[in-house]
Amino acid sequence: MNVFDLSVLSTGGAILLILFIVAVLAFEFVNGFHDTANAVATVIYTNSLKPTIAVVWSGIFNFLGVITGGVGVAMGIVKLLPVNDMMTMPFFESASIIAAVLLAAILWNLGTWYFGIPCSSSHTMIGSLIGVGIVFFWRHGGEGVNWGKAQEIGLALLFSPLFGCFAAMFLMWILAAIIKNKAIFQEPERGKAPPTWIRAILITTCTLVSFFHGSNDGQKGVGLFMIVLMIFLPAQFALHKSFDAESMLVSVTRVEQKVSATMAKIGKRNEAAQEVQEAAADLKVLLAQSTLNRPAIRKDLQKLNKYLKETTGDRPFFNRKDKAEMKSLSESLSKYYEFAPRWVVLLISIALGIGTMIGWKRIVVTIGEKIGKSHLTYAQGATAELIASSTIALSTIFKAPVSTTHVLSSAIAGTMIAKDGTKNLQRSTLINILTAWVLTLPVTIIVSGGLYYLFTAIFG
């Protein structure tokens, strides 16, 4: 079975789509050797694993993390942009959007990696998407950037490093108080492996960071991949391949009937419920047409589901039984537009896994020696990775994209503070990391937005 049909595109369009897919995989590959170097930093630096074994091991668990991580974070990335409006744009506009996002993201990622600065691929991608979203709104109006979703993502990216720093600091203090064997608090001896029990702890935490990095960061690549497919091939990827107009019509009609009956029963105005009725009426018209407009169906279906979730939320609108039924219908309807084909997830998994195995050395040195004035100890490495993996796992559960780089770097800083206070931090490295953290969003917003405007001016 073909994964997609290129016959609907011109030859030039088909070539561009293939190039953009390769570029998305290249971004995820760069993400692998940029972000995931954090996962192998401690096991390599502490001589717990040889570099070759460590990066292969980490690559495998990054792969498994993406495969099993679901698509919650990926859909958060998709929701940043007015994809429904973008699917109706002329071809040159679609190509300009994707080219601007990918070029801005890859250039910034490569630049920060070259200088050994632990920069966030999450910030990079999100800034690039916001940049084109702003220019798209300026050019065409419509929905523009989903600032509500952008705010959610921004808060997750802001508070996760702070949590990582303080949690690692407190955990180090606890370990220092309860662990009697002080071997774990020693710095690694060059060329000498730590005791077996310490190696086991460090390998375990490396595995956890790798797996949860894949489950969170890998999904961002999946989301970017889906944006490309939906903008280039909206008829094929606006809705899941299992979409069936008749079964959707049954569900939409059921929602409409239940909402109408409840409104009549309570006898008072409910704006969200009225929006559900309007979206349901529009959907029924679209679903009855002989030629189905999938992008339009997707747009109205998202609108219906958005307001249906409001009516089944905190509002005392439905009784308990009806609320449970409507929540179930809402979840089943969302699967029509919140999805990613298995082959997309597989390709992103492979790109991230292979990327992990290359280019790790620059970041490993920064993590091991340049954040604190003292070298990283076994306990600090294990503590930082345990906190980082836990933070990323929780973020994935709540469908919030976070930065592995910033969470782990801040956790390392927290362990250094726990050891000798703030004087144990290397000011120059922290300034570089913070500078990259502060500049990534504005720089990528400006670069991607500027490239999008430039491309449309040249090719439009």
Side-chain angles (χ1 to χ4, degrees):
M1 181 184 293
N2 292 329
V3 292
F4 49 73
D5 181 11
L6 292 177
S7 65
V8 297
L9 297 174
S10 65
T11 302
I15 292 172
L16 269 180
L17 174 57
I18 298 299
L19 287 176
F20 287 151
I21 287 174
V22 171
V24 171
L25 296 176
F27 172 82
E28 203 59 31
F29 174 82
V30 173
N31 183 14
F33 69 69
H34 192 291
D35 273 20
T36 318
N38 295 285
V40 298
T42 54
V43 288
I44 292 175
Y45 187 77
T46 59
N47 305 309
S48 296
L49 287 176
K50 297 293 184 184
T52 303
I53 297 173
V55 295
V56 171
W57 181 262
S58 180
I60 291 170
F61 279 91
N62 266 279
F63 174 88
L64 294 174
V66 183
I67 289 292
T68 60
V71 295
V73 174
M75 292 304 103
I77 297 298
V78 172
K79 290 174 184 176
L80 269 177
L81 293 180
V83 175
N84 294 322
D85 293 335
M86 291 178 172
M87 286 190 281
T88 64
M89 291 291 105
F91 175 77
F92 79 89
E93 189 101 26
S94 303
S96 298
I97 291 168
I98 301 303
V101 169
L102 291 172
L103 191 56
I106 291 173
L107 286 176
W108 185 252
N109 252 8
L110 283 175
T112 51
W113 165 81
Y114 180 79
F115 290 103
I117 301 172
C119 175
S120 168
S121 294
S122 303
H123 277 76
T124 302
M125 179 190 295
I126 290 163
S128 299
L129 291 171
I130 290 175
V132 297
I134 291 171
V135 176
F136 182 89
F137 177 74
W138 177 63
R139 285 171 53 84
H140 303 290
E143 296 179 0
V145 176
N146 184 341
W147 291 111
K149 178 57 67 175
Q151 184 178 26
E152 289 177 18
I153 293 172
L155 289 174
L157 291 171
L158 174 64
F159 286 110
S160 53
L162 295 176
F163 174 80
C165 179
F166 288 107
M169 192 189 312
F170 286 120
L171 182 55
M172 274 293 293
W173 285 335
I174 293 170
L175 292 178
I178 64 176
I179 294 179
K180 304 304 180 183
N181 189 337
K182 300 305 178 183
I184 196 171
F185 298 101
Q186 296 175 359
E187 294 180 10
E189 295 182 36
R190 184 176 297 275
K192 183 179 178 181
T196 302
W197 66 278
I198 294 178
R199 290 184 69 190
I201 292 172
L202 290 166
I203 292 170
T204 299
T205 56
C206 165
T207 303
L208 291 172
V209 172
S210 300
F211 178 82
F212 289 117
H213 174 268
S215 70
N216 194 283
D217 265 38
Q219 284 195 55
K220 297 161 195 167
V222 172
L224 185 56
F225 205 130
M226 290 306 298
I227 290 172
V228 172
L229 292 177
M230 284 189 286
I231 290 179
F232 270 80
L233 299 170
Q236 297 177 47
F237 293 99
L239 296 169
H240 193 276
K241 66 179 181 180
S242 66
F243 163 70
D244 176 73
E246 290 185 8
S247 63
M248 182 183 286
L249 183 59
V250 171
S251 298
V252 170
T253 302
R254 177 59 179 165
V255 169
E256 183 183 42
Q257 291 172 344
K258 185 58 66 176
V259 169
S260 298
T262 305
M263 286 187 69
K265 183 178 179 180
I266 64 176
K268 64 180 182 180
R269 179 183 176 85
N270 185 300
E271 292 184 4
Q274 288 180 320
E275 292 285 359
V276 171
Q277 288 181 309
E278 291 177 12
D282 292 339
L283 267 171
K284 290 171 72 174
V285 171
L286 291 171
L287 292 170
Q289 295 176 356
S290 56
T291 302
L292 296 173
N293 185 338
R294 294 191 173 214
I297 292 172
R298 174 192 171 90
K299 186 173 184 178
D300 283 340
L301 182 60
Q302 285 180 308
K303 178 183 177 182
L304 181 147
N305 227 6
K306 173 185 175 182
Y307 290 106
L308 181 58
K309 287 177 180 178
E310 285 190 22
T311 61
T312 56
D314 297 330
R315 300 168 183 265
F317 184 75
F318 293 114
N319 61 40
R320 183 176 298 178
K321 180 180 177 181
D322 291 341
K323 180 180 287 189
E325 181 188 1
M326 291 299 102
K327 281 187 175 181
S328 177
L329 278 172
S330 175
E331 290 173 2
S332 64
L333 288 173
S334 67
K335 292 176 182 177
Y336 283 114
Y337 58 85
E338 292 189 349
F339 71 96
R342 287 187 178 277
W343 62 268
V344 171
V345 178
L346 181 62
L347 286 177
I348 291 295
S349 303
I350 293 171
L352 183 63
I354 295 175
T356 304
M357 302 176 192
I358 299 173
W360 49 268
K361 191 168 185 178
R362 292 175 185 270
I363 307 298
V364 167
V365 173
T366 298
I367 293 295
E369 299 182 6
K370 295 185 178 180
I371 291 180
K373 291 182 180 177
S374 59
H375 289 190
L376 193 73
T377 66
Y378 304 126
Q380 288 174 314
T383 298
E385 290 201 322
L386 184 60
I387 293 298
S389 60
S390 302
T391 304
I392 299 165
L394 287 172
S395 301
T396 302
I397 291 171
F398 290 104
K399 302 178 181 180
V402 294
S403 166
T404 300
T405 299
H406 289 152
V407 172
L408 185 62
S409 297
S410 63
I412 294 286
T415 66
M416 293 292 175
I417 294 172
K419 184 180 178 182
D420 289 314
T422 55
K423 65 179 183 295
N424 193 32
L425 298 175
Q426 287 200 38
R427 186 179 299 273
S428 60
T429 300
L430 291 180
I431 289 174
N432 285 339
I433 294 174
L434 287 172
T435 300
W437 187 79
V438 170
L439 291 180
T440 294
L441 279 177
V443 168
T444 50
I445 287 171
I446 292 170
V447 172
S448 67
L451 287 173
Y452 170 37
Y453 182 80
L454 178 65
F455 292 154
T456 52
I458 294 173
F459 301 110

